Structure formats: structure tokens, C-alpha cells
Amino acid sequence: MTDTATAILEPAPPADMGTFAEDGTYIPRQIVEDDLGDISLDDAYASTMVVVEDGQIVEGTVVRIDKEEVLLDIGYKSEGVIPARELSIRHDIDPGEVVALGEVIEALVITREDKEGRLVLSKKRAQYERAWGRIEELRESNAAVKGMVIEVVKGGLIVDIGLRGFLPASLVELRRVRDLQPYVGRELDAKIIELDKNRNNVVLSRRAWLEETQREQREAFLDNLRPGEIRSGVVSSVVNFGAFVDLGGMDGLVHVSELSWKHVDHPSAVVSAGDRIDVQVLEVDLERERISLSLKATQQDPWQEFAASHRVGELVYGRITKLVPFGSFVQVGDGIEGLVHISEMSAHHVELPEQVVTPGEELWVKIIDLDLQRRRISLSIKQAAEGGVVAAEYQEHFGDHAYDEEGNYIGAGDSEGQQAWEDYYSEAGEDYADDEGEDADPGSAGEEVAAVADEASDVPADET
């Protein structure tokens, strides 16, 4: 075998072994390369650690989640601790709902070493610092913020926008909202209307955002709305002074005076939230973006109905509702009251109304004046006693009890007349007995006692 062949067959030394020099000296395999230069191993180790300062924002990975705290690896010599109270601006929240294992988050260094030697961090303070910068930019550009409602407090809502933003109750919607609880958990858009970092104060307005985003829609809606037209809507809320009705684009107000032809003690007695009703548009204020509506305008006016079916000189049956120094008010129809002046109570001189009648008493009266425009009826007890033509509705019901063939009043026995009267209103659904004991208000027919007093002023002084 040649020398060449012999060289080829000689085995090479294993890769994990050292080598030999030409003179046969053994050269060991190099295990570690010394690349530290002039620094020590301790210094090299320290150089791999993150350097932190109090107030610094750092980034790290969540490595453990406990009920009371979260551990965050930021590459420091020890893991940072985030107490549960420093995780979120929300109170009493489960840490597992805020962060997840392996999640990379930011935190602010509260202290590099507490009394237990721990690095203490805060996620919410880092979020707070970041949020302030973002919110200041949004405020300068007049942009909106978006956040979730996390709490109901006195006077409004707390919205999580990276920090605690306060949304006053009066600025939640275009009108004031009474019940704020349903907003918790909802994400809302709002405008920043007040910002003070020194006082940690951020005030929001969702109403401003709604007004801005809905302005074009509202303008178009108002332009198409005409006074006098009938619209269908849904009662969105009931307040002391009336009811708001959603017309499908905007809310309009039905003032309490426009809810019914009758006197209304409280709007809730007429409508409830959620009711669908027809209303008439009374006024459209484009500048103030307000709509005035009427419910009673869509209903039959009882005064017009009464005036159409009665005339001066007729006898009607009524009930005394209230006594006043100058006479008494008598209810003669549903929501219709007239005044019997003290001079028309008896053929004899009367000092006080209670000398002749008492509240709740039922009796015949004669219509001596009917003013539809002013919604006033003047009645007379003494002229009713002289007889006259009974109104048609009583003729149909009373048979021959109270008038002759010509319709003239001839009277009836007390028991017969009372029974006929009760039967009549029972059939008509007008049970006056339901109102017994209630204070009748002359304003229930759209009249105030003071307003009626001027009617009394036309009577000679010696008769009063």
C-alpha cells in the first residue's frame, strides 16, 4: 500500500477531543472563549440586568397571577410585584380579569425595594400616565373618547378612559336621565369638556357628542316637521311637568297642560313610559331644537262637544264641586264645570253659598250663558227652579220623570230623580261618586277661581 493510501486510511481525531502539534505536543480542546475582556464576571452579570428608577414605566411579562398580586418579569434581578389595588382603576376586581399569564404589559415603578426587598409596580399608574398624554391630545383636537361605564356615583357615572372620567347625569343623554344603573357595563363615546391633571379631574359630556353627531340628522328632522300635523310616537319618559315623546328622530315635550282636557294632577295619571300615542305638533323651535306637542289636541274637546249639544236656557243636572265666596262651581259634564254666582243661587238674598248648597250635592241648574272661547258657563239654581226645557240627554234617559211633553221641567220625586240620575251616569260611565271626598279644582275645566272672579265683578255690588 502506498504512503498516500496509508494517509487516507488514518482516522481523524474525534471532534470532541484535543489535537496534536507537529512536534507531538497535545493541544486541549477549547471549552470557553474568554470574551469578557477587562471586566469581571460579576460586572458582566450585572450588565445583563435592567436598570430601573422610581416613576419609570417598564415593560414585562406576566408570570404569575394570585388573588392579592401579580408577578411581572421585567428582566430585573427579581420579579416585580403588582398589588391587586394597582392593577386597575376599577374597585374590587379579580386580577385574572385584568391580565393573563404570558401577557406583556406596562407598569410604573412605585419603589425599587420596599421593606421586604421587593420591586413594587403599578399597572394602573402606567396606564394613567399614558392616558393623560392621549387625552390631552384628544382634547386639543376636539376629538371624542370612548370608555366603559364602571360605576354609578352621586351625580353621574364613572367612565374608564384609562383613568376615571366623570360623566354628569345631566350630560349622559340629550335630556336628563333619572336611572343611571342600566349604563353600567356599556361603552360610551363622549367629549372632554374639562381637564385638570393637577386636580386629577376629567369631566365628560356624552350629550355634546350626541349633539355633534346627530346635528345634521336633527336639522333634517326638524325641517320636515310642521306645526299642526299629527305624529305617532312613544313616550320615552314622564316628568313632573309633562311627558317626552320620541317621534322617531327627536324627542318632543307634551306639557302637562297639553296632556288632557281635564285637570291633571300628575302626567303619570295620563301616560306611562313605553306608551305609543298620537300627538299634534304645536311648535318647532329650530334655534333651540325643541318640539312642543299636544295630546289633547288629538282628542275631542269636551267644551266644544258640550257647546254643540247644549244651548242657553236649558236645564242640566250637576253636582256641587266647590264653594267660593262669590258662588259655587257645578260639574255638569265630564271635565266641564260652570259657575253659579251667589246672586243666582236663590230668589232670596244669600250671604254665603253654604246657606243654599253643600259640596257633593246634586241638583238641576239652568244654563244662562255659554262662552266657548273663554270656556266659561254661567249657571242658575233659582232660574232652574222656575222650570224650563231639559237638555236632550236627560230627556232620553229620565222618561216622564222631570218634564212634560214639550220638554218643560216639572220636577220629580227625590228618590225617583236621584235613582234616574245614578242610572244615567252609570250607563254613561260617568260615576260622580268616585270623586266624593276629593277637592274639586275649578281649574279642572281650564278655569282658575281667580279668573272666574272677574265674571262675578259684572254683578251689582248690592247683589254680592
Side-chain angles (χ1 to χ4, degrees):
M1 183 178 295
T2 64
D3 293 339
T4 302
T6 302
I8 294 175
L9 293 175
E10 287 181 357
D16 58 350
M17 299 292 291
T19 59
F20 292 91
E22 292 181 358
D23 59 359
T25 303
Y26 177 72
I27 303 174
R29 177 176 63 88
Q30 186 173 354
I31 299 175
V32 177
E33 183 178 355
D34 184 7
D35 57 358
L36 295 180
D38 296 332
I39 64 173
S40 66
L41 182 62
D42 289 340
D43 291 339
Y45 175 75
S47 68
T48 64
M49 295 294 100
V50 172
V51 177
V52 298
E53 300 291 340
D54 291 349
Q56 179 182 344
I57 295 179
V58 296
E59 188 177 89
T61 303
V62 177
V63 294
R64 193 174 76 184
I65 301 174
D66 292 332
K67 183 177 181 181
E68 302 296 333
E69 62 186 22
V70 167
L71 296 187
L72 190 69
D73 180 7
I74 64 169
Y76 193 57
K77 61 183 179 181
S78 63
E79 293 167 339
V81 178
I82 305 178
R85 67 179 181 277
E86 294 293 335
L87 279 170
S88 173
I89 61 174
R90 307 184 195 185
H91 300 307
D92 301 323
I93 193 166
D94 182 359
E97 296 179 12
V98 182
V99 296
L101 283 175
E103 182 181 0
V104 176
I105 63 172
E106 286 188 329
L108 182 139
V109 178
I110 297 178
T111 179
R112 289 180 296 173
E113 190 172 344
D114 66 0
K115 61 183 180 180
E116 298 177 6
R118 304 180 307 170
L119 171 67
V120 183
L121 308 172
S122 173
K123 179 180 182 296
K124 74 176 183 181
R125 298 191 198 189
Q127 186 178 8
Y128 174 86
E129 292 297 328
R130 296 293 192 204
W132 265 110
R134 180 177 62 88
I135 288 172
E136 287 172 345
E137 291 177 359
L138 291 173
R139 173 68 185 277
E140 291 176 2
S141 62
N142 194 34
V145 294
K146 184 187 291 289
M148 182 176 292
V149 177
I150 60 175
E151 190 178 347
V152 176
V153 294
K154 182 178 180 180
L157 301 169
I158 297 299
V159 183
D160 181 0
I161 55 174
L163 45 84
R164 292 170 68 87
F166 177 62
L167 177 57
S170 60
L171 302 179
V172 173
E173 296 286 353
L174 295 175
R175 63 182 183 280
R176 188 176 180 87
V177 178
R178 300 294 178 183
D179 185 9
L180 296 175
Q181 199 60 44
Y183 287 87
V184 175
R186 286 181 55 185
E187 196 170 60
L188 304 179
D189 291 283
K191 283 299 191 73
I192 304 164
I193 59 174
E194 188 175 333
L195 195 60
D196 188 337
K197 188 173 183 180
N198 293 330
R199 296 170 55 198
N200 190 27
N201 187 32
V202 181
V203 181
L204 308 174
S205 173
R206 183 168 180 263
R207 186 174 72 183
W209 179 80
L210 290 172
E211 288 174 346
E212 182 177 294
T213 55
Q214 297 178 9
R215 181 170 293 114
E216 291 184 4
Q217 180 182 352
R218 290 197 310 275
E219 289 175 353
F221 183 85
L222 290 171
D223 286 341
N224 293 325
L225 206 57
R226 296 287 180 270
E229 68 179 335
I230 305 297
R231 289 289 187 106
S232 179
V234 177
V235 177
S236 54
S237 66
V238 179
V239 292
N240 290 334
F241 52 85
F244 287 97
V245 180
D246 182 357
L247 299 177
M250 287 185 67
D251 277 6
L253 173 66
V254 181
H255 190 267
V256 63
S257 62
E258 292 294 333
L259 281 170
S260 175
W261 292 104
K262 302 179 185 178
H263 173 70
V264 177
D265 291 324
H266 192 275
S268 59
V270 182
V271 293
S272 302
D275 289 350
R276 177 167 287 279
I277 58 175
D278 290 331
V279 290
Q280 184 182 81
V281 180
L282 296 181
E283 182 183 1
V284 180
D285 189 334
L286 296 175
E287 184 176 345
R288 301 169 68 192
E289 295 189 343
R290 292 186 179 180
I291 306 168
S292 298
L293 306 171
S294 175
L295 176 60
K296 75 178 186 182
T298 65
Q299 303 166 346
Q300 177 67 44
D301 181 352
W303 280 84
Q304 290 183 341
E305 188 176 1
F306 187 89
S309 58
H310 296 81
R311 65 181 186 274
V312 172
E314 283 187 337
L315 293 174
V316 292
Y317 204 65
R319 182 170 69 92
I320 304 295
T321 58
K322 189 170 185 176
L323 303 183
V324 290
F326 49 83
S328 65
F329 286 93
V330 182
Q331 183 174 356
V332 293
D334 186 18
I336 305 295
E337 286 188 347
L339 172 68
V340 178
H341 190 267
I342 196 169
S343 63
E344 291 292 335
M345 302 195 83
S346 174
H348 304 289
H349 178 70
V350 177
E351 294 287 345
L352 299 170
E354 50 263 41
Q355 294 175 343
V356 181
V357 294
T358 58
E361 180 181 350
E362 295 170 349
L363 73 175
W364 289 95
V365 289
K366 178 178 284 189
I367 301 173
I368 58 176
D369 185 53
L370 181 55
D371 188 339
L372 177 60
Q373 184 175 359
R374 299 172 69 193
R375 294 179 181 273
R376 294 182 182 178
I377 303 175
S378 296
L379 304 169
S380 175
I381 296 175
K382 73 177 183 182
Q383 293 187 43
E386 298 170 358
V389 177
V390 178
E393 69 264 31
Y394 303 106
Q395 293 182 27
E396 294 175 3
H397 184 78
F398 282 85
D400 295 330
H401 285 308
Y403 56 89
D404 59 21
E405 292 180 357
E406 285 75 33
N408 293 311
Y409 174 71
I410 59 175
D414 291 342
S415 61
E416 289 181 337
Q418 177 67 18
Q419 185 60 49
W421 171 246
E422 292 178 357
D423 290 346
Y424 170 73
Y425 274 102
S426 175
E427 292 176 8
E430 301 290 341
D431 189 2
Y432 283 178
D434 288 345
D435 296 328
E436 286 293 346
E438 296 182 5
D439 289 335
D441 183 356
S444 63
E447 296 293 322
E448 297 291 340
V449 172
V452 181
D454 63 355
E455 187 174 306
S457 66
D458 297 334
V459 179
D462 60 347
E463 293 189 11
T464 62

